[in-house]
Coordinates of all heavy atoms in Angstrom, one line a residue:
M1 N -10.2 7.1 -22.6 CA -10.4 6.0 -21.6 C -11.9 5.8 -21.4 O -12.6 6.6 -21.2 CB -9.7 6.4 -20.3 CG -9.5 5.2 -19.4 SD -8.7 5.7 -17.8 CE -7.2 6.5 -18.3
S2 N -12.2 4.5 -21.3 CA -13.6 4.1 -21.1 C -13.8 3.3 -19.8 O -12.8 2.7 -19.4 CB -14.2 3.4 -22.2 OG -13.5 2.1 -22.4
G3 N -14.9 3.3 -19.3 CA -15.2 2.6 -18.1 C -14.5 3.2 -16.8 O -14.1 4.3 -16.8
A4 N -14.4 2.4 -15.8 CA -13.8 2.8 -14.5 C -12.4 3.2 -14.7 O -11.6 2.6 -15.5 CB -14.0 1.8 -13.4
T5 N -12.0 4.3 -13.9 CA -10.5 4.6 -13.9 C -9.8 3.5 -13.1 O -10.2 3.2 -12.0 CB -10.3 6.0 -13.2 OG1 -11.1 6.9 -14.0 CG2 -8.9 6.4 -13.3
K6 N -8.7 3.0 -13.7 CA -7.9 2.0 -13.0 C -6.5 2.7 -12.5 O -6.0 3.5 -13.1 CB -7.5 0.9 -14.0 CG -8.7 0.1 -14.5 CD -8.9 -1.1 -13.8 CE -9.9 -2.0 -14.5 NZ -11.0 -2.5 -13.6
C7 N -6.1 2.3 -11.3 CA -4.9 2.7 -10.7 C -3.8 2.1 -11.5 O -3.7 0.9 -11.7 CB -4.9 2.3 -9.3 SG -3.3 2.6 -8.4
I8 N -2.8 3.0 -11.9 CA -1.6 2.5 -12.7 C -0.7 1.7 -11.8 O 0.2 1.0 -12.3 CB -0.9 3.6 -13.3 CG1 -0.3 4.6 -12.3 CG2 -1.8 4.4 -14.3 CD1 0.7 5.5 -12.9
R9 N -0.8 1.8 -10.5 CA 0.1 1.0 -9.6 C -0.4 -0.4 -9.3 O 0.2 -1.4 -9.4 CB 0.4 1.8 -8.3 CG 1.4 1.0 -7.4 CD 1.8 2.0 -6.2 NE 2.9 1.4 -5.5 CZ 2.7 0.8 -4.3 NH1 1.6 0.5 -3.8 NH2 3.9 0.4 -3.7
C10 N -1.7 -0.5 -8.9 CA -2.2 -1.7 -8.4 C -3.2 -2.4 -9.4 O -3.6 -3.5 -9.3 CB -2.9 -1.6 -7.0 SG -4.5 -0.8 -7.0
G11 N -3.7 -1.5 -10.3 CA -4.6 -2.1 -11.4 C -6.1 -2.2 -11.0 O -6.9 -2.6 -11.8
R12 N -6.4 -1.9 -9.7 CA -7.8 -1.9 -9.3 C -8.5 -0.6 -9.6 O -7.8 0.4 -9.8 CB -7.8 -2.2 -7.8 CG -7.2 -3.5 -7.4 CD -7.4 -3.8 -5.9 NE -6.8 -5.0 -5.4 CZ -5.6 -5.0 -4.9 NH1 -4.9 -3.9 -4.6 NH2 -5.0 -6.2 -4.5
S13 N -9.8 -0.7 -9.7 CA -10.6 0.5 -10.0 C -10.5 1.5 -8.9 O -10.4 1.2 -7.8 CB -12.0 0.2 -10.4 OG -12.8 0.2 -9.2
I14 N -10.5 2.8 -9.3 CA -10.5 3.9 -8.4 C -11.9 4.4 -8.2 O -12.5 5.0 -9.1 CB -9.6 5.1 -8.9 CG1 -8.1 4.6 -9.0 CG2 -9.6 6.3 -7.9 CD1 -7.2 5.6 -9.7
D15 N -12.4 4.1 -7.0 CA -13.8 4.4 -6.8 C -14.0 5.7 -5.9 O -15.1 6.3 -6.0 CB -14.5 3.2 -5.9 CG -14.4 1.9 -6.7 OD1 -14.5 1.9 -8.0 OD2 -14.3 0.9 -6.1
V16 N -13.0 6.1 -5.3 CA -13.1 7.4 -4.5 C -12.4 8.4 -5.2 O -11.2 8.5 -5.4 CB -12.4 7.1 -3.0 CG1 -12.5 8.5 -2.3 CG2 -13.1 6.0 -2.3
D17 N -13.2 9.4 -5.7 CA -12.8 10.6 -6.4 C -11.7 10.3 -7.5 O -10.5 10.8 -7.4 CB -12.2 11.6 -5.4 CG -12.4 13.0 -5.8 OD1 -12.6 13.3 -7.0 OD2 -12.3 13.9 -5.0
P18 N -12.1 9.6 -8.5 CA -11.2 9.3 -9.6 C -10.5 10.5 -10.3 O -9.4 10.6 -10.6 CB -12.0 8.6 -10.7 CG -13.3 8.2 -10.0 CD -13.4 9.1 -8.8
A19 N -11.3 11.7 -10.4 CA -10.7 12.8 -11.0 C -9.5 13.4 -10.2 O -8.5 13.8 -10.7 CB -11.8 13.9 -11.1
L20 N -9.7 13.3 -8.9 CA -8.6 13.8 -8.0 C -7.4 12.9 -8.2 O -6.2 13.4 -8.2 CB -9.0 13.8 -6.5 CG -8.0 14.3 -5.5 CD1 -7.9 15.8 -5.6 CD2 -8.5 13.9 -4.1
S21 N -7.6 11.6 -8.3 CA -6.5 10.7 -8.5 C -5.7 10.9 -9.8 O -4.5 10.9 -9.8 CB -7.0 9.2 -8.4 OG -7.3 8.8 -7.1
V22 N -6.5 11.2 -10.8 CA -5.9 11.5 -12.1 C -5.1 12.8 -12.0 O -4.0 12.9 -12.5 CB -7.0 11.6 -13.2 CG1 -6.4 12.2 -14.5 CG2 -7.5 10.2 -13.5
D23 N -5.7 13.8 -11.4 CA -5.1 15.2 -11.4 C -3.8 15.2 -10.4 O -2.8 15.7 -10.8 CB -6.1 16.2 -10.8 CG -7.0 16.7 -11.9 OD1 -6.8 16.2 -13.1 OD2 -8.0 17.3 -11.6
L24 N -4.0 14.6 -9.2 CA -3.1 14.9 -8.2 C -2.1 13.7 -7.9 O -1.0 13.9 -7.5 CB -3.8 15.3 -6.9 CG -3.2 16.1 -5.8 CD1 -2.7 17.4 -6.4 CD2 -4.1 16.3 -4.7
F25 N -2.6 12.5 -8.1 CA -1.9 11.3 -7.6 C -1.4 10.5 -8.8 O -1.2 9.3 -8.7 CB -2.8 10.4 -6.7 CG -3.3 11.2 -5.5 CD1 -4.6 11.2 -5.1 CD2 -2.4 11.9 -4.7 CE1 -5.1 11.9 -4.0 CE2 -2.8 12.6 -3.6 CZ -4.2 12.6 -3.2
E26 N -1.2 11.1 -10.0 CA -0.6 10.5 -11.2 C -1.3 9.2 -11.5 O -0.7 8.3 -11.9 CB 0.9 10.3 -10.9 CG 1.6 11.6 -10.6 CD 3.1 11.5 -10.5 OE1 3.6 10.5 -11.0 OE2 3.7 12.4 -10.1
G27 N -2.7 9.2 -11.4 CA -3.5 8.0 -11.8 C -3.5 6.9 -10.9 O -3.7 5.8 -11.2
M28 N -3.1 7.2 -9.6 CA -3.1 6.2 -8.6 C -4.1 6.5 -7.5 O -4.5 7.6 -7.3 CB -1.7 6.1 -8.0 CG -0.6 5.7 -8.9 SD 1.0 5.7 -7.9 CE 2.1 6.1 -9.3
H29 N -4.4 5.4 -6.7 CA -5.1 5.6 -5.4 C -4.2 6.6 -4.6 O -3.0 6.4 -4.7 CB -5.3 4.3 -4.7 CG -6.3 3.4 -5.3 ND1 -5.8 2.2 -6.0 CD2 -7.6 3.4 -5.5 CE1 -6.8 1.6 -6.5 NE2 -7.9 2.2 -6.3
W30 N -4.8 7.3 -3.7 CA -3.9 8.2 -2.9 C -3.0 7.4 -2.0 O -1.8 7.7 -1.8 CB -4.7 9.2 -2.1 CG -5.3 8.7 -0.8 CD1 -6.7 8.4 -0.7 CD2 -4.7 8.5 0.5 NE1 -6.9 7.9 0.6 CE2 -5.8 8.0 1.4 CE3 -3.5 8.6 1.0 CZ2 -5.5 7.7 2.7 CZ3 -3.3 8.3 2.3 CH2 -4.3 7.8 3.2
L31 N -3.5 6.2 -1.6 CA -2.6 5.3 -0.8 C -1.5 4.7 -1.6 O -0.4 4.6 -1.1 CB -3.5 4.2 -0.1 CG -2.8 3.3 0.9 CD1 -2.2 4.2 2.1 CD2 -3.8 2.3 1.6
C32 N -1.8 4.3 -2.8 CA -0.8 3.7 -3.7 C 0.2 4.8 -4.0 O 1.5 4.5 -4.0 CB -1.4 3.3 -5.0 SG -2.3 1.7 -4.9
F33 N -0.2 6.1 -4.2 CA 0.7 7.2 -4.4 C 1.6 7.4 -3.2 O 2.8 7.5 -3.3 CB -0.1 8.5 -4.7 CG 0.8 9.7 -5.0 CD1 1.2 9.9 -6.3 CD2 1.2 10.5 -4.0 CE1 2.0 11.0 -6.6 CE2 2.0 11.6 -4.3 CZ 2.4 11.9 -5.6
H34 N 1.0 7.3 -2.0 CA 1.8 7.5 -0.8 C 2.9 6.4 -0.7 O 4.1 6.7 -0.5 CB 0.9 7.4 0.4 CG 1.7 7.5 1.7 ND1 2.3 8.6 2.2 CD2 1.9 6.6 2.6 CE1 2.9 8.4 3.3 NE2 2.7 7.1 3.6
F35 N 2.6 5.1 -0.9 CA 3.5 4.1 -0.8 C 4.5 4.1 -2.0 O 5.7 3.8 -1.8 CB 2.8 2.7 -0.7 CG 2.3 2.4 0.6 CD1 0.9 2.2 0.8 CD2 3.1 2.4 1.7 CE1 0.4 1.9 2.1 CE2 2.6 2.1 3.0 CZ 1.2 1.9 3.1
E36 N 4.1 4.6 -3.1 CA 5.1 4.7 -4.3 C 6.1 5.8 -4.1 O 7.2 5.6 -4.3 CB 4.3 4.9 -5.5 CG 5.1 4.9 -6.8 CD 5.6 3.5 -7.2 OE1 4.9 2.5 -6.7 OE2 6.6 3.3 -7.9
F37 N 5.7 7.0 -3.7 CA 6.6 8.1 -3.7 C 6.9 8.7 -2.3 O 7.9 9.4 -2.2 CB 5.9 9.2 -4.5 CG 5.8 8.9 -6.0 CD1 4.5 8.7 -6.5 CD2 6.9 8.7 -6.8 CE1 4.3 8.5 -7.9 CE2 6.7 8.3 -8.1 CZ 5.5 8.2 -8.6
E38 N 6.1 8.5 -1.3 CA 6.3 9.3 0.0 C 6.7 8.4 1.1 O 7.4 8.9 2.0 CB 5.0 10.0 0.3 CG 4.6 11.0 -0.8 CD 3.1 11.5 -0.5 OE1 2.3 10.9 0.2 OE2 2.9 12.6 -1.0
H39 N 6.4 7.1 1.1 CA 6.6 6.3 2.2 C 8.0 5.6 2.2 O 8.2 4.6 1.6 CB 5.6 5.1 2.2 CG 5.5 4.4 3.5 ND1 4.6 4.7 4.6 CD2 6.1 3.3 3.9 CE1 4.8 3.8 5.6 NE2 5.8 2.9 5.2
D40 N 8.9 6.3 2.9 CA 10.3 5.9 2.8 C 10.7 5.0 4.0 O 11.8 5.1 4.5 CB 11.3 7.1 2.7 CG 11.0 8.0 4.0 OD1 10.1 7.7 4.8 OD2 11.8 9.0 4.1
A41 N 9.8 4.0 4.3 CA 10.1 3.1 5.4 C 9.4 1.8 5.1 O 8.9 1.6 4.1 CB 9.5 3.6 6.7
D42 N 9.6 0.8 6.0 CA 9.0 -0.5 5.8 C 7.4 -0.2 5.6 O 6.9 0.6 6.4 CB 9.2 -1.3 7.2 CG 8.6 -2.7 7.2 OD1 7.5 -2.8 6.6 OD2 9.2 -3.5 7.8
P43 N 6.9 -0.8 4.6 CA 5.4 -0.6 4.4 C 4.5 -0.8 5.5 O 3.4 -0.4 5.6 CB 5.1 -1.5 3.2 CG 6.4 -1.8 2.5 CD 7.5 -1.7 3.6
D44 N 5.0 -1.7 6.4 CA 4.1 -2.1 7.6 C 4.3 -1.2 8.8 O 3.7 -1.4 9.8 CB 4.5 -3.6 8.0 CG 3.9 -4.6 7.0 OD1 3.0 -4.2 6.3 OD2 4.4 -5.7 7.1
V45 N 5.2 -0.2 8.7 CA 5.3 0.7 9.8 C 5.2 2.2 9.4 O 5.3 2.5 8.2 CB 6.7 0.5 10.5 CG1 6.8 -0.8 11.1 CG2 7.9 0.9 9.6
A46 N 4.9 3.0 10.3 CA 4.7 4.4 9.9 C 6.0 5.1 9.4 O 7.1 4.8 9.8 CB 4.3 5.2 11.2
C47 N 5.8 6.0 8.4 CA 7.0 6.8 7.9 C 6.9 8.1 8.6 O 6.1 8.3 9.5 CB 6.9 6.8 6.4 SG 5.4 7.8 5.8
N48 N 7.8 9.0 8.1 CA 7.8 10.4 8.7 C 6.8 11.4 8.1 O 6.8 12.5 8.5 CB 9.2 10.9 8.6 CG 10.2 10.1 9.5 OD1 9.8 9.8 10.7 ND2 11.3 9.8 9.1
D49 N 6.0 10.9 7.1 CA 5.0 11.8 6.5 C 3.8 11.8 7.4 O 2.8 11.2 7.2 CB 4.7 11.3 5.1 CG 3.7 12.2 4.4 OD1 3.3 13.2 5.0 OD2 3.2 11.8 3.3
I50 N 3.9 12.7 8.5 CA 2.9 12.7 9.5 C 1.5 13.1 9.0 O 0.5 12.7 9.5 CB 3.3 13.5 10.7 CG1 3.6 15.0 10.3 CG2 4.5 12.9 11.4 CD1 3.7 15.9 11.5
A51 N 1.4 13.8 8.0 CA 0.1 14.3 7.5 C -0.5 13.3 6.6 O -1.7 13.2 6.6 CB 0.3 15.6 6.7
G52 N 0.3 12.5 5.9 CA -0.3 11.6 4.8 C -0.2 10.1 5.2 O -0.9 9.4 4.5
C53 N 0.6 9.7 6.1 CA 0.8 8.3 6.3 C -0.4 7.6 7.2 O -0.6 8.1 8.3 CB 2.1 8.0 7.0 SG 2.5 6.2 7.0
P54 N -1.0 6.7 6.6 CA -2.2 6.1 7.4 C -1.7 5.4 8.6 O -2.3 5.4 9.7 CB -2.8 5.1 6.4 CG -1.8 4.8 5.3 CD -1.0 6.1 5.3
W55 N -0.4 4.8 8.6 CA 0.1 4.1 9.7 C 0.4 5.1 10.9 O 0.1 4.8 12.0 CB 1.4 3.4 9.4 CG 1.2 2.1 8.7 CD1 1.8 1.7 7.5 CD2 0.4 1.0 9.1 NE1 1.3 0.5 7.2 CE2 0.5 0.0 8.2 CE3 -0.4 0.7 10.3 CZ2 -0.1 -1.3 8.3 CZ3 -1.0 -0.5 10.3 CH2 -0.9 -1.5 9.3
W56 N 0.8 6.3 10.5 CA 1.1 7.3 11.5 C -0.3 7.7 12.2 O -0.3 7.8 13.4 CB 1.7 8.5 10.9 CG 2.2 9.5 11.9 CD1 3.4 9.5 12.5 CD2 1.4 10.6 12.4 NE1 3.4 10.6 13.4 CE2 2.2 11.2 13.4 CE3 0.1 11.1 12.2 CZ2 1.8 12.4 14.1 CZ3 -0.3 12.2 12.9 CH2 0.5 12.8 13.8
T57 N -1.3 7.9 11.4 CA -2.6 8.2 11.9 C -3.1 7.1 12.8 O -3.6 7.4 14.0 CB -3.6 8.4 10.7 OG1 -3.1 9.3 9.8 CG2 -5.0 8.8 11.3
I58 N -3.0 5.9 12.5 CA -3.4 4.7 13.3 C -2.7 4.7 14.6 O -3.3 4.5 15.6 CB -3.3 3.4 12.4 CG1 -4.4 3.4 11.3 CG2 -3.5 2.3 13.4 CD1 -4.1 2.3 10.3
S59 N -1.3 4.9 14.5 CA -0.5 4.8 15.7 C -0.9 5.9 16.6 O -0.9 5.7 17.9 CB 0.9 4.7 15.4 OG 1.5 5.9 15.2
Y60 N -1.1 7.1 16.1 CA -1.5 8.2 16.9 C -2.9 8.0 17.7 O -3.0 8.2 18.8 CB -1.6 9.5 16.2 CG -2.0 10.7 17.0 CD1 -1.0 11.4 17.8 CD2 -3.3 11.1 17.2 CE1 -1.4 12.4 18.6 CE2 -3.7 12.1 18.0 CZ -2.7 12.8 18.7 OH -3.0 13.8 19.6
L61 N -3.8 7.4 16.9 CA -5.1 7.1 17.4 C -5.0 6.1 18.5 O -5.7 6.2 19.6 CB -6.1 6.7 16.3 CG -6.6 7.8 15.4 CD1 -7.3 7.2 14.3 CD2 -7.4 8.9 16.1
K62 N -4.2 5.1 18.3 CA -4.0 4.0 19.4 C -3.5 4.6 20.6 O -3.9 4.3 21.7 CB -3.1 2.9 18.8 CG -3.7 2.0 17.9 CD -2.7 0.9 17.5 CE -3.4 -0.2 16.7 NZ -2.5 -1.3 16.4
D63 N -2.4 5.5 20.5 CA -1.8 6.1 21.6 C -2.8 6.9 22.4 O -2.9 6.9 23.6 CB -0.7 7.0 21.2 CG 0.6 6.2 20.8 OD1 0.6 5.0 21.0 OD2 1.5 6.8 20.2
K64 N -3.7 7.6 21.7 CA -4.7 8.5 22.2 C -5.7 7.6 23.0 O -6.1 8.0 24.2 CB -5.4 9.3 21.2 CG -6.2 10.4 21.7 CD -5.4 11.5 22.4 CE -6.2 12.6 23.1 NZ -5.3 13.6 23.8
L65 N -6.1 6.5 22.4 CA -7.0 5.6 23.1 C -6.5 5.2 24.4 O -7.2 5.1 25.5 CB -7.4 4.4 22.2 CG -8.4 4.7 21.1 CD1 -8.6 3.5 20.2 CD2 -9.8 5.1 21.6
R66 N -5.2 4.8 24.4 CA -4.5 4.3 25.7 C -4.5 5.3 26.7 O -4.8 5.1 27.8 CB -3.1 3.8 25.3 CG -3.0 2.4 24.7 CD -1.6 1.8 24.6 NE -1.6 0.9 23.5 CZ -1.1 1.1 22.3 NH1 -0.6 2.3 22.0 NH2 -1.1 0.2 21.4
E67 N -4.3 6.6 26.2 CA -4.2 7.7 27.1 C -5.6 7.9 27.8 O -5.7 8.4 28.9 CB -3.9 9.0 26.2 CG -3.3 10.1 26.9 CD -3.0 11.3 25.9 OE1 -2.1 11.0 25.0 OE2 -3.6 12.3 26.0
L68 N -6.6 7.6 27.1 CA -8.0 7.8 27.6 C -8.4 6.5 28.4 O -9.6 6.4 28.7 CB -9.0 8.0 26.4 CG -8.8 9.3 25.6 CD1 -9.6 9.3 24.3 CD2 -9.1 10.5 26.5
G69 N -7.5 5.5 28.5 CA -7.8 4.3 29.3 C -8.6 3.3 28.5 O -9.3 2.4 29.0
V70 N -8.5 3.3 27.1 CA -9.2 2.4 26.3 C -8.2 1.5 25.6 O -7.2 2.1 25.1 CB -10.1 3.1 25.3 CG1 -10.8 2.1 24.3 CG2 -11.2 4.0 26.0
D71 N -8.4 0.2 25.6 CA -7.5 -0.7 24.9 C -7.8 -0.7 23.4 O -8.9 -1.2 23.0 CB -7.6 -2.1 25.5 CG -6.7 -3.1 24.8 OD1 -5.9 -2.7 23.9 OD2 -6.8 -4.3 25.2
P72 N -6.9 -0.2 22.5 CA -7.2 -0.2 21.1 C -7.5 -1.6 20.5 O -8.4 -1.7 19.7 CB -5.9 0.3 20.4 CG -5.1 0.9 21.6 CD -5.6 0.3 22.9
E73 N -6.8 -2.6 21.1 CA -7.1 -4.0 20.6 C -8.6 -4.4 20.9 O -9.2 -5.1 20.1 CB -6.1 -5.0 21.2 CG -4.7 -4.7 20.9 CD -4.4 -4.5 19.4 OE1 -4.9 -5.2 18.6 OE2 -3.6 -3.5 19.1
A74 N -9.1 -4.0 22.1 CA -10.4 -4.3 22.5 C -11.4 -3.6 21.6 O -12.4 -4.2 21.2 CB -10.7 -3.9 23.9
V75 N -11.1 -2.3 21.1 CA -11.9 -1.6 20.2 C -12.0 -2.4 18.9 O -13.1 -2.5 18.3 CB -11.4 -0.2 20.0 CG1 -12.2 0.5 18.9 CG2 -11.5 0.6 21.3
I76 N -10.9 -2.8 18.4 CA -10.9 -3.5 17.1 C -11.6 -4.8 17.3 O -12.4 -5.2 16.4 CB -9.4 -3.7 16.7 CG1 -8.7 -2.4 16.3 CG2 -9.3 -4.6 15.4 CD1 -9.5 -1.6 15.3
G77 N -11.4 -5.5 18.4 CA -12.1 -6.8 18.6 C -13.6 -6.6 18.6 O -14.3 -7.3 18.0
E78 N -14.0 -5.5 19.2 CA -15.5 -5.2 19.3 C -16.0 -4.8 17.9 O -17.0 -5.4 17.5 CB -15.7 -3.9 20.1 CG -17.1 -3.5 20.3 CD -17.2 -2.1 21.1 OE1 -16.5 -2.0 22.1 OE2 -17.9 -1.2 20.6
A79 N -15.2 -4.2 17.1 CA -15.6 -3.9 15.7 C -15.7 -5.1 14.9 O -16.6 -5.3 14.1 CB -14.6 -2.8 15.1
I80 N -14.7 -6.0 15.1 CA -14.8 -7.3 14.3 C -16.0 -8.1 14.7 O -16.7 -8.6 13.8 CB -13.5 -8.1 14.6 CG1 -12.3 -7.4 13.9 CG2 -13.6 -9.5 14.0 CD1 -10.9 -7.9 14.2
S81 N -16.3 -8.2 16.0 CA -17.5 -8.9 16.4 C -18.8 -8.3 15.8 O -19.6 -9.0 15.3 CB -17.7 -8.8 18.0 OG -16.5 -9.3 18.6
R82 N -18.8 -7.0 15.8 CA -20.0 -6.3 15.3 C -20.1 -6.6 13.7 O -21.2 -6.8 13.3 CB -19.8 -4.8 15.5 CG -21.1 -4.0 15.3 CD -20.9 -2.6 15.7 NE -20.6 -2.4 17.1 CZ -20.4 -1.2 17.7 NH1 -20.3 -0.1 16.9 NH2 -20.1 -1.1 19.0
K83 N -19.0 -6.5 13.1 CA -18.9 -6.8 11.6 C -19.4 -8.2 11.3 O -20.2 -8.5 10.4 CB -17.5 -6.5 11.1 CG -17.3 -7.0 9.7 CD -17.7 -6.1 8.6 CE -17.4 -6.5 7.3 NZ -18.2 -5.9 6.3
V84 N -18.9 -9.2 12.1 CA -19.3 -10.6 11.9 C -20.8 -10.8 12.2 O -21.5 -11.5 11.5 CB -18.4 -11.5 12.8 CG1 -19.0 -12.9 12.9 CG2 -17.0 -11.5 12.3
R85 N -21.2 -10.1 13.3 CA -22.6 -10.2 13.7 C -23.6 -9.7 12.7 O -24.5 -10.4 12.3 CB -22.9 -9.6 15.1 CG -24.2 -9.9 15.7 CD -24.4 -9.2 17.0 NE -24.4 -7.8 16.9 CZ -23.7 -6.9 17.5 NH1 -22.8 -7.3 18.4 NH2 -23.7 -5.6 17.3
D86 N -23.4 -8.4 12.2 CA -24.5 -7.9 11.4 C -24.0 -7.3 10.0 O -24.7 -6.7 9.3 CB -25.3 -6.8 12.1 CG -24.4 -5.7 12.7 OD1 -23.3 -5.4 12.0 OD2 -24.7 -5.1 13.7
G87 N -22.7 -7.6 9.8 CA -22.2 -7.2 8.4 C -22.1 -5.7 8.2 O -21.8 -5.3 7.1
S88 N -22.2 -5.0 9.3 CA -22.1 -3.5 9.0 C -20.7 -3.1 8.9 O -19.7 -3.8 9.3 CB -22.7 -2.8 10.2 OG -21.9 -3.0 11.4
T89 N -20.5 -2.0 8.2 CA -19.1 -1.4 8.1 C -19.2 0.0 8.6 O -20.2 0.7 8.6 CB -18.7 -1.3 6.6 OG1 -19.6 -0.6 5.9 CG2 -18.6 -2.7 6.0
P90 N -18.0 0.6 9.0 CA -18.0 1.9 9.5 C -18.5 2.9 8.5 O -19.2 3.9 8.9 CB -16.5 2.2 9.7 CG -15.9 0.9 9.9 CD -16.7 -0.1 9.1
S91 N -18.4 2.7 7.2 CA -18.8 3.6 6.2 C -20.3 3.3 5.8 O -20.9 4.0 5.0 CB -17.9 3.6 5.0 OG -17.9 2.3 4.5
G92 N -20.9 2.3 6.4 CA -22.3 2.0 6.1 C -22.4 0.9 5.1 O -22.8 0.9 4.0
Ligands
LIG185 ZN1 -3.9 1.5 -6.4
LIG186 ZN1 3.8 6.4 5.1

């Protein structure tokens, strides 16, 4: 194989740890692997794979923010405003 590793599910290049994707995730992005084999629910809602499901993680974080008195939608709104303003991303 030459060039960038491509995900066999979505066809896009695998930029984050391609070796791990080839070894562990059958040549897919970890998220593609999750949706292909592990996510046994509507793709737009959390499944029961509490360790691996991004929706589960997001919903837990939202619940925690509410518990702390912070509105998750306000946090996202702030992030969007910041992104629009200076083009920054959480990962830099
Ligand atoms: Zn993929
Ligand atoms: Zn899931």
Side-chain angles (χ1 to χ4, degrees):
M1 197 185 296
S2 65
T5 302
K6 298 262 191 233
C7 174
I8 62 167
R9 184 172 190 260
C10 73
R12 297 185 185 98
S13 87
I14 298 174
D15 299 329
V16 179
D17 210 342
L20 185 71
S21 284
V22 169
D23 283 351
L24 204 59
F25 303 128
E26 305 189 13
M28 301 179 201
H29 295 106
W30 78 262
L31 189 56
C32 285
F33 183 89
H34 176 70
F35 282 119
E36 186 70 23
F37 296 115
E38 300 170 336
H39 192 92
D40 57 357
D42 182 323
D44 286 342
V45 299
C47 68
N48 291 316
D49 181 4
I50 59 170
C53 189
W55 282 124
W56 188 88
T57 306
I58 290 165
S59 85
Y60 181 83
L61 290 172
K62 282 183 172 180
D63 287 349
K64 193 66 185 178
L65 283 173
R66 282 190 203 100
E67 203 178 299
L68 295 168
V70 178
D71 177 6
E73 302 309 320
V75 171
I76 295 301
E78 183 187 311
I80 291 169
S81 301
R82 195 174 295 175
K83 169 84 175 156
V84 168
R85 191 181 63 233
D86 56 30
S88 70
T89 59
S91 60

